[in-house]
Amino acid sequence: MTVTIIGIGLIGGSLGITLKENGFATRVIGVDANPENLHKAIRRRLVDEEMSLAEGVTVADVVILATPVDVMRKLLPEILDRVGDRQTVVDVGSTKELLLDEIAGHPNRARFVACHPMAGTEFSGPEAALPKLFEDKVCVIVDGDDSALDALDVARRLFKSAGMKFSWLDRRAHDLHCAYVSHISHIASFALALTVLEKEKDEQRIFDLASSGFGSTVRLAKSSADMWVPIFRQNRDHVLDVLDEHIEQLSKFRTQLIKRDFDGFYERIERANQIEKILK
C-alpha cells in the first residue's frame, strides 16, 4: 500500500511509523501545511517523502486525514473530489457529526471511512510520534454503513495492523460518548491547571510538592490548544451538557464541605469508586 498522511502530528506521525514498521505500507507520503513538520517527519523516518495535497492524494491507495478537526471539514470534500473507486480515505478525528454533515450526498462518500482511534498523549507534533501508540486501544468506526465494503475492509486491516480493536457507533452517539470520556477530562485538567497556577504563585513549590497523582490528573493540561479548541467548537452542545453535570457534581462536594457533611462526602466517594467496575 502507498499511504498518504495529511497532517504529520502525534497521530499522523505515529501511524506513519507504525504502518511502515508493520509492513502495511510500503511507501508513506507526508502532507503538511508546516514545512518544519515535514522536515522533522522525514528526519525521524515517519514518512518516506513529502508531496503537495493534490500529488499525495493522486498516488495514494489510502489517504489518512490527521489534521485538526476544523481543517478536516475544509479538506475532506476536496480530497473526495480527487479520489477514484479504488482508493480509501479515513480520518482520525475526535468529532464526527459536523464532518459527516459536510460530505452528505458527496458522490464519493462511500470511499470515506470515519474512524477515531482512541489513543494519544498530551504531547503534539511529529517529535511526539510513537510506534506503539495504538496497541490494544479501540478504534471507533462511525456510520460504517455509509462506506463501501472494500473501503471498510481496508480501514479495518489498517488499524488492526496497528494492534487496535474495534467499536461501531453512529455519529451522534460517538460525539456524545467522547464528550463524556475524553473531552470533559481535558476541560477538567485545563481548569485544574489554571486553578493551581492562580493560587500557587511559587512555581518551584508546585514542582517540589507535586505528587504522581497530581501529575496524572493535570497531565492533559499540556495538550495543544490548536487541536482542542476545534474539538470543543465542533462538539459544543455535547460538551456543555457534560460540563453542566460536572459542575453540578463539584457543587455537591462543595456544599457538603460547607455543611461539614463528611458522612455524605464518604458516600459520594464510595459511589465514585464504582468506576473501577468499568475501568479495570
Side-chain angles (χ1 to χ4, degrees):
M1 290 274 185
T2 294
V3 176
T4 293
I5 301 174
I6 302 171
I8 313 298
L10 167 66
I11 301 298
S14 297
L15 277 172
I17 194 170
T18 298
L19 299 178
K20 280 165 59 72
E21 288 188 353
N22 67 27
F24 181 91
T26 54
R27 181 186 183 198
V28 177
I29 295 163
V31 177
D32 200 289
N34 185 343
E36 185 58 29
N37 281 350
L38 288 170
H39 298 159
K40 290 177 181 177
I42 290 173
R43 287 198 301 269
R44 290 199 59 199
R45 300 182 179 178
L46 308 178
V47 302
D48 297 311
E49 57 187 301
E50 63 178 279
M51 288 187 181
S52 68
L53 185 142
E55 292 171 325
V57 171
T58 298
V59 302
D61 297 302
V62 181
V63 177
I64 300 174
L65 187 53
T67 64
V69 293
D70 279 356
V71 180
M72 285 182 184
R73 289 184 64 192
K74 298 176 182 178
L75 291 184
L76 183 56
E78 178 183 346
I79 293 167
L80 290 180
D81 288 342
R82 297 176 180 274
V83 299
D85 59 8
R86 295 181 181 273
Q87 294 174 284
T88 299
V89 181
V90 304
D91 80 307
V92 295
S94 295
T95 58
K96 298 301 182 197
E97 283 194 81
L98 293 181
L99 181 68
L100 291 172
D101 288 346
E102 199 73 42
I103 59 166
H106 192 286
N108 283 330
R109 168 64 182 87
R111 304 314 309 164
F112 174 64
V113 185
C115 301
H116 182 190
M118 302 290 290
T121 73
E122 66 272 31
F123 303 110
S124 58
E127 57 270 47
L130 299 169
K132 296 184 179 182
L133 180 66
F134 307 99
E135 281 190 0
D136 299 320
K137 303 296 195 308
V138 172
C139 178
V140 185
I141 295 179
V142 180
D143 286 1
D145 289 344
D146 293 332
S147 302
L149 291 177
D150 65 307
L152 277 173
D153 180 64
V154 170
R156 289 171 65 184
R157 286 193 286 116
L158 186 156
F159 288 107
K160 186 176 180 180
S161 77
M164 303 200 81
K165 299 169 282 190
F166 295 94
S167 178
W168 301 74
L169 292 172
D170 64 68
R171 67 184 77 174
R172 182 173 178 79
H174 168 273
D175 286 8
L176 175 62
H177 293 322
C178 282
Y180 273 97
V181 302
S182 175
H183 304 169
I184 190 62
S185 301
H186 282 78
I187 289 184
S189 189
F190 294 138
L192 178 58
L194 290 172
T195 299
V196 173
L197 291 172
E198 180 65 27
K199 293 297 184 180
E200 281 280 8
K201 302 301 183 182
D202 187 339
E203 294 182 8
Q204 185 59 44
R205 183 179 297 170
I206 297 173
F207 181 79
D208 290 341
L209 298 182
S211 65
S212 59
F214 175 79
S216 62
T217 303
V218 81
R219 171 182 64 85
L220 296 177
K222 303 173 189 175
S223 299
S224 166
D226 289 333
M227 183 178 83
W228 278 97
V229 170
I231 290 171
F232 295 138
R233 181 184 295 122
Q234 290 198 20
N235 208 22
R236 172 183 174 273
D237 291 347
H238 290 316
V239 172
L240 277 173
D241 181 55
V242 181
L243 188 57
D244 286 344
E245 178 61 31
H246 185 54
I247 291 170
E248 176 67 17
Q249 294 298 328
L250 290 174
S251 177
K252 289 178 180 178
F253 276 119
R254 181 179 183 273
T255 298
Q256 287 173 326
L257 277 174
I258 291 172
K259 294 182 176 180
R260 303 180 188 273
D261 178 13
F262 295 109
D263 289 337
F265 218 85
Y266 189 96
E267 291 175 4
R268 293 181 61 75
I269 292 173
E270 284 202 318
R271 283 178 56 199
N273 290 162
Q274 294 176 17
I275 198 71
E276 183 180 6
K277 297 176 182 178
I278 301 172
L279 302 177
K280 296 181 181 179

